[in-house]
Amino acid sequence: MTGAAETAARVRGGASSAAAEVRAALRAVERGDARLNAFAEVWPEAARARAAEVDAALARGADLPLAGVPIGVKAWEGTRSLQARRLIAAGAVPVGATSVPGPGTPWRTWGATGRGRTANPWRADVSPGGSSAGSGAAVGAGLVPLATASDGAGSTRIPAAWCGVVGYKPTTGLLPARDPAGLAIGGPIARSVADVRLWASVVLGAAAVEHDARPGAGVGGPRGLRVAWSPDLGFAEVDPEIARVAHAALLRWARRSPAPALGRPGAASPLNAAGGPLPRPGAAVGDGGGAVSVGAAGGSVRSGEWSPGVDEDVSGVPARGSGRGSGRVPGWGEEPGPVGEGVVPGTVGGGGGAAGSLGGPARGAAAWCGPQGVGGAVAGADRTGAAGRGVPSRTGAGAEIRVVAVDPGCVDPAAEWFARRAVRGGRESRADRAGRSARPGGTAEDHNNNRLDALFASADLLATPTTPNPPHGHDGPGDVMSVALTWLFNITGHPAVSLPAGFTADGLPVGLHLVAPHHRDALLLAAAADYEAACPWPPTSSPVPNQPSQTPA
């Protein structure tokens, strides 16, 4: 299946029709979803009728930027969420409701249908993430090119990371909150950054994707793009392999050197052979070629370089969460559940799809920033003439990327997150907020906002792994808090995107998480497009269902 932008262009140009694209999507769902369980419901009759309306509107001269694009809609949101309504008005055609978690677990990084648990398209024995589980799985398997999601603690970004696709959380406030606490916001899961930017132009408006594309400006302007790297935000426990894969992808982007074609994970690579700890603040990485530099936060990195102002003493600010090393919280996994706005045709949880196989696309030759794809950039293989080379991006010019390792000094936001969910039906009164902020040291939220403000005063972006852990099994994450690196930004409201970074040694996708200052969504998406140009990933995620197809009911 082609991407949303390509599909719309084909339909708008007369090379295809909405009816044909929807027929193809329904066939893909019928063949693939019997083993994937990404769709809680499929709506073939409604989808065909809507496709006919789109074709008729095009014949009348309507301008529909998403003409004929088949989409999935998250079951808790349905077709009545603001993002879904705007997508449909732009010509998108919902083909079904994607799965979400069922009752009975405090962790929400999973999904289920009436036929069983939703499988990860890369490995059927692990979860696709959640709570937008079916949206991630459906896009990751190529059943649809775009699906709606919502993110109150990471529910868009985590499934995107674990399914090897793109997930975007806009700046809080650009869309109506999806929960009374004001933490959850709608967003897309898509197969490419181009499709995310198309979503943003339709749902958020052109300003959300407009960015300075003057020749020589790059995504970061004449000074280049300054990226602060933190594997743990100062408090989370992160699997070392996850941190290595995400960090290597970031350096691959910065070096912009060609990578070898992606093989299946598991083969030896220079990166895996080198091993060793990730750089800490103050450590130099690589040979210094090109625009890559890793230096001490607050210290002098190199003449003309930069350093985030986040090194001041914070010993007097108490941690309101469980403190450094608190990336594990027993029983916690993701956001709570439906908020009541979404309505979908029929009853969610009924059968959808027909007998068939999960299948998957053929192996692609596109280079990806996985262990095999980045090893040369990290360990020295095939660097000739590559350091610092600009790769044309969707912004019109390749950016000079400067990377600095930092310790942002943030503290665990768990207590703040739960407090916001608990007070007065979710929304904290100004009086209560003022009372908490007046306490000695303020709140963890105050502390984290101050730290991020200081970081973004000197950095354009913050980069982390999307999750601290690989996809967990269908029995749950245990005591691992999968949201450890995402839910902070639901509290602070910063825009963030998860991008495919590569694989673990046993073949599970890893996400690279980019965070931008408030209302710098255009910069964030331009940078994501630049990353994609330097580190292209396979057009669909799962080459083969390489684990047993049975998933728990």
Side-chain angles (χ1 to χ4, degrees):
M1 175 170 289
T2 57
E6 184 179 347
T7 296
R10 195 167 53 239
V11 172
R12 285 160 56 90
S16 184
S17 66
E21 297 298 333
V22 167
R23 281 196 303 270
L26 291 172
R27 285 195 300 268
V29 172
E30 183 178 9
R31 288 194 304 266
D33 200 44
R35 294 174 66 186
L36 190 64
N37 295 332
F39 281 91
E41 287 191 345
V42 182
W43 310 322
E45 293 183 4
R48 294 187 189 103
R50 175 59 185 159
E53 293 173 358
V54 170
D55 286 332
L58 289 173
R60 296 191 300 269
D63 182 15
L64 300 174
L66 284 169
V69 175
I71 64 170
V73 292
K74 184 174 181 178
W76 288 346
E77 285 208 335
T79 58
R80 293 190 180 181
S81 69
L82 180 59
Q83 65 168 324
R85 294 199 307 270
R86 289 179 175 174
L87 295 172
I88 294 168
V93 181
V95 298
T98 57
S99 67
V100 293
T105 65
W107 48 279
R108 313 302 286 168
T109 45
W110 63 288
T113 72
R115 307 181 308 279
R117 292 287 181 97
T118 302
N120 188 300
W122 282 97
R123 283 243 311 258
D125 63 331
V126 298
S127 170
S131 61
S132 306
S135 292
V139 173
L143 305 184
V144 290
L146 179 70
T148 65
S150 58
D151 191 315
S155 280
T156 298
R157 292 162 286 163
I158 292 171
W162 288 359
C163 294
V165 289
V166 184
Y168 164 52
K169 183 198 86 68
T171 296
T172 298
L174 292 182
L175 287 173
R178 297 292 305 153
D179 64 336
L183 294 166
I185 186 171
I189 293 178
R191 289 168 53 193
S192 72
V193 177
D195 289 351
V196 169
R197 297 179 89 184
L198 179 58
W199 175 96
S201 68
V202 167
V203 175
L204 304 179
V209 294
E210 288 175 353
H211 186 74
D212 187 357
R214 292 172 297 174
V219 294
R223 69 189 178 189
L225 193 68
R226 304 162 302 172
V227 183
W229 161 258
S230 172
D232 58 12
L233 293 175
F235 61 85
E237 291 184 4
V238 179
D239 184 305
E241 183 181 23
I242 298 297
R244 279 196 299 270
V245 173
H247 179 253
L250 179 63
L251 294 186
R252 164 73 177 87
W253 176 30
R255 290 191 171 99
R256 316 183 69 88
S257 59
L262 175 70
R264 284 297 295 158
S269 73
L271 172 64
N272 291 337
L278 285 170
R280 307 308 302 170
V285 170
D287 60 2
V292 182
S293 62
V294 178
S300 175
V301 180
R302 193 168 68 194
S303 177
E305 293 285 354
W306 65 284
S307 53
V310 293
D311 60 326
E312 64 269 23
D313 178 36
V314 295
S315 57
V317 182
R320 302 288 176 159
S322 45
R324 185 172 180 85
S326 60
R328 299 178 182 271
V329 173
W332 176 249
E334 237 296 293
E335 63 185 57
V339 296
E341 180 186 351
V343 176
V344 298
T347 302
V348 174
S357 63
L358 175 61
R363 297 171 187 264
W368 194 20
C369 292
Q372 289 73 26
V374 299
V378 173
D382 193 25
R383 281 196 192 133
T384 306
R389 172 168 37 184
V391 176
S393 73
R394 290 173 181 82
T395 63
E400 183 185 28
I401 313 297
R402 295 171 179 168
V403 177
V404 173
V406 302
D407 180 355
C410 294
V411 295
D412 190 339
E416 293 288 329
W417 194 93
F418 285 113
R420 185 176 292 190
R421 290 299 306 267
V423 297
R424 299 193 180 183
R427 295 217 181 256
E428 187 175 27
S429 71
R430 290 183 179 179
D432 288 342
R433 169 67 188 170
R436 290 197 304 118
S437 296
R439 298 171 188 168
T443 67
E445 183 178 354
D446 296 329
H447 170 84
N448 288 332
N449 279 325
N450 290 338
R451 302 301 290 178
L452 292 171
D453 286 347
L455 186 148
F456 285 124
S458 297
D460 298 302
L461 297 173
L462 169 64
T464 74
T466 304
T467 65
N469 55 323
H472 57 69
H474 292 289
D475 56 349
D479 63 352
V480 176
M481 187 174 73
S482 303
V483 300
L485 299 172
T486 52
W487 64 349
L488 170 62
F489 304 105
N490 295 91
I491 295 174
T492 65
H494 291 85
V497 64
S498 179
L499 301 164
F503 298 102
T504 62
D506 58 351
L508 295 175
V510 175
L512 174 66
H513 190 220
L514 299 182
V515 184
H518 294 119
H519 298 287
R520 298 300 306 278
D521 297 64
L523 170 66
L524 177 68
L525 297 181
D530 196 76
Y531 170 88
E532 183 178 32
C535 300
W537 47 86
T540 52
S541 295
S542 175
V544 290
N546 56 1
Q547 289 291 321
S549 60
Q550 291 77 20
T551 59

